[in-house]
Amino acid sequence: MTIGLAFCYDEPMIAHISGTLIEQKDKELIVLVGGIGYAIATPPYSLPTGTEVTLYTHLVIKDDAHELYGFQTAEEKDLFKILISVSGVGPRTALHMLTLYTLPDLVRIIKSGDAKAIALVPGIGKKTSEKVVIDLKDKVDNFAISDTRASTDLVEALLSLGY
C-alpha cells in the first residue's frame, strides 16, 4: 500500500532576504547572507556594492529551476504575485512589467483598462494584455496610483525610437 502526502503552505518559503550586496547585474542582484550568495532576479536598482539590502522575495519552483525574485517594497512583491496569477503571464514577464513601469503607473494602467500600454511589455501580445486588464482591474484597488502620465509617455517615446 502506498500513501501519498501533499503539503500546502500559505506562507512563502523565503519571505525576505537581508544581506550585503556583492554583485549587481542588469536584472539580478547577488546578496551575501551568512556566507551564501543568493542570485535574486529584480527590477533594475541602482545600489552600490557593499550596501546592506533587504528584499521582499518570491520563490518560484519549476521542474528545472528554483528562481528567487526580489523587490524593495512589499507592495511591489504583492503586485508581482497578482500579475503572475494571470494565465499567460510568467514571472519574467511580470518582472518586465515592473521594470518598464513604476508600480503606481502600472496600477493606473490596469485600472484605466489601457491594454495598449500593457502590450508594450516584451512578451505580451494583444490578447494577453487584454486579459491582464480584465482579470486584474478589480484586484489592484488597494494599490496607490499616480495621476501623471510622464513615465508612460517616456516609455512609449523610447519604444518608438527602437529602445
Side-chain angles (χ1 to χ4, degrees), residues 56-68:
Y56 296 89
T57 59
H58 181 78
L59 178 65
V60 175
I61 299 174
K62 299 179 178 180
D63 289 340
D64 59 346
H66 292 169
E67 298 173 343
L68 196 55

Side-chain angles (χ1 to χ4, degrees), residues 20-25 28-32 38-40 47-50:
T20 305
L21 177 65
I22 59 171
E23 188 177 342
Q24 184 169 323
K25 298 177 183 175
E28 181 179 81
L29 302 178
I30 308 294
V31 179
L32 184 64
Y38 289 91
I40 306 169
L47 302 169
T49 302

